[in-house]
Amino acid sequence: MNKQNIFALALKPAMGVTKSVGIGIVLLLAAALVAIIMPSAASAQSPCEGPTATLLVTGLEGATGSTVGPDGALYVTEGAAGRISRVDPQTGEKTTFASGLPPSIIGIGGAIDVAFIDNIAYALVTLVGSQFGTSDVVGIYRVDGPDSFTVVADIGAFNLSHQPSGFDIAVPTGLQYALQTSRGGFLVTDGHLNRVLRVTLDGEVTVLIAFGNIVPTGLAVRGNTVYMAEAGPVPHLPQNGKVVSFEPKSPTAAVVASGARLLVDVEFGPGNGLYALSQGIFPVGSPPATPALHNTGSLVKVNGDGTFTFVMDSLDQPTSLEFIGNSAYVVTLTGEIWKIDGVSCKL
């Protein structure tokens, strides 16, 4: 019997059957017909084979921070070269977006992160200035053109006049790490002075929240809640690698998850899942700010019970994480960008 005959039979009430029962039979047979015509959702979807990593970009110089620009491309800071590069997330094509920013002096620092407000790029610059033999300003620079900039916030000057206490300070101007837009301005983590700063577009700097020696790193914002990664103090033990959350007027932060070494970033990904980036195993006996051992980094997902699920291991000194669609993009200190597809398959 063909499908048309089945449907015709379903529409013809049987003799002696009540109206309600007849309607029930019609609905039941109609549902069966839909099942015949339409494949099930499970059979229509391609199988998920787990996360896969593809090398997208090589040759970056001192890559640290990144963001997704208003055009959907990746923008990455190259501290060693004093520039910001634009990367096509599909092809990996790299072009110079801006150059001439203060470069790193000691192997880390210079232009360390980038963010956009109203289609205008801003760069966070750190570990420069008189202590390092330069006249450059530690702070936030507005990108006015391919090689022109304006300092909009002198974070170094603020830090010099507002020193924290309770831990050793080797660099009074601090070591700023992440630049995150929030409420028309910026949030900035300082991994040396152990606090998060609030910075307005007209250059006003205030302390949003201060910590003990926990080494704050990456930031993500969802609504009124700020999520922050903590590397933890040297030697960056797994139990000290945490994601915490707080609101703008919170005096303290709440632990969201812990258990991954030397966390350097946190971002929201597929299905509003929260992910973090672990740089890996800290070399025993090394001074602070030393990168993790090669190929020991991981991409992890935050679980509801306060633990992490490891999504991708053997990352080589990762520094920054972004998501575009269902793909994760991991920037590494070794000058690479890796695209990780199928991030949610394993979870």
Side-chain angles (χ1 to χ4, degrees):
M1 182 180 294
N2 61 35
K3 294 174 185 175
Q4 288 182 335
N5 290 338
I6 292 174
F7 193 59
L9 180 61
L11 295 176
K12 182 179 180 180
M15 186 176 296
V17 177
T18 65
K19 183 177 180 182
S20 60
V21 175
I23 292 174
I25 293 174
V26 169
L27 294 176
L28 183 61
L29 290 176
L33 174 62
V34 171
I36 292 172
I37 296 174
M38 300 294 294
S40 69
S43 63
Q45 294 176 352
S46 58
C48 193
E49 298 179 356
T52 57
T54 304
L55 181 60
L56 186 69
V57 175
T58 61
L60 300 174
E61 299 180 60
T64 46
S66 63
T67 192
V68 179
D71 59 351
L74 288 167
Y75 289 79
V76 183
T77 54
E78 297 184 68
R83 68 172 170 250
I84 301 169
S85 291
R86 179 190 184 277
V87 175
D88 186 305
Q90 300 303 318
T91 66
E93 179 185 4
K94 180 174 75 75
T95 55
T96 297
F97 174 71
S99 61
L101 285 160
S104 60
I105 307 300
I106 59 173
I108 182 176
I112 199 165
D113 204 4
V114 57
F116 283 84
I117 292 181
D118 295 332
N119 296 325
I120 298 173
Y122 296 82
L124 178 64
V125 174
T126 190
L127 297 182
V128 297
S130 59
Q131 186 172 357
F132 300 95
T134 78
S135 59
D136 296 316
V137 172
V138 169
I140 299 175
Y141 291 57
R142 185 182 67 230
V143 179
D144 298 325
D147 56 3
S148 60
F149 312 91
T150 299
V151 176
V152 297
D154 190 336
I155 293 175
F158 174 85
N159 283 342
L160 287 173
S161 60
H162 298 80
Q163 291 283 282
S165 60
F167 44 82
D168 293 336
I169 297 174
V171 183
T173 53
L175 196 174
Q176 296 74 43
Y177 189 83
L179 181 67
Q180 174 68 47
T181 59
S182 175
R183 299 187 176 190
F186 303 98
L187 302 179
V188 176
T189 54
D190 194 313
H192 184 53
L193 301 185
N194 293 294
R195 58 195 183 188
V196 178
L197 302 176
R198 166 75 175 166
V199 184
T200 66
L201 286 176
D202 59 7
E204 181 184 1
V205 183
T206 55
V207 176
L208 180 67
I209 186 170
F211 303 93
N213 188 23
I214 52 88
V215 190
T217 54
L219 291 168
V221 174
R222 181 58 56 91
N224 290 325
T225 304
V226 180
Y227 295 84
M228 185 185 79
E230 294 182 6
V234 172
H236 306 297
L237 300 175
Q239 61 266 33
N240 295 325
K242 301 174 182 178
V243 171
V244 300
S245 68
F246 56 90
E247 294 191 355
K249 295 183 179 180
S250 300
T252 59
V255 176
V256 178
S258 63
R261 294 177 183 270
L262 218 170
L263 292 182
V264 293
D265 206 357
V266 59
E267 294 289 343
F268 282 92
N272 291 320
L274 189 60
Y275 294 79
L277 196 59
S278 163
Q279 195 172 86
I281 299 172
F282 183 77
V284 176
S286 298
T290 299
L293 295 174
H294 289 287
N295 303 310
T296 61
S298 302
L299 174 62
V300 300
K301 186 179 186 298
V302 174
N303 298 320
D305 61 359
T307 62
F308 293 112
T309 294
F310 284 74
V311 178
M312 178 68 69
D313 294 322
S314 301
L315 300 177
D316 194 3
Q317 297 181 340
T319 57
S320 185
L321 171 68
E322 304 295 337
F323 282 92
I324 299 176
N326 292 321
S327 298
Y329 294 82
V330 175
V331 178
T332 75
L333 196 59
T334 55
E336 299 174 340
I337 299 177
W338 288 82
K339 180 182 179 182
I340 304 176
D341 294 310
V343 168
S344 60
C345 288
K346 186 178 179 180
L347 310 177

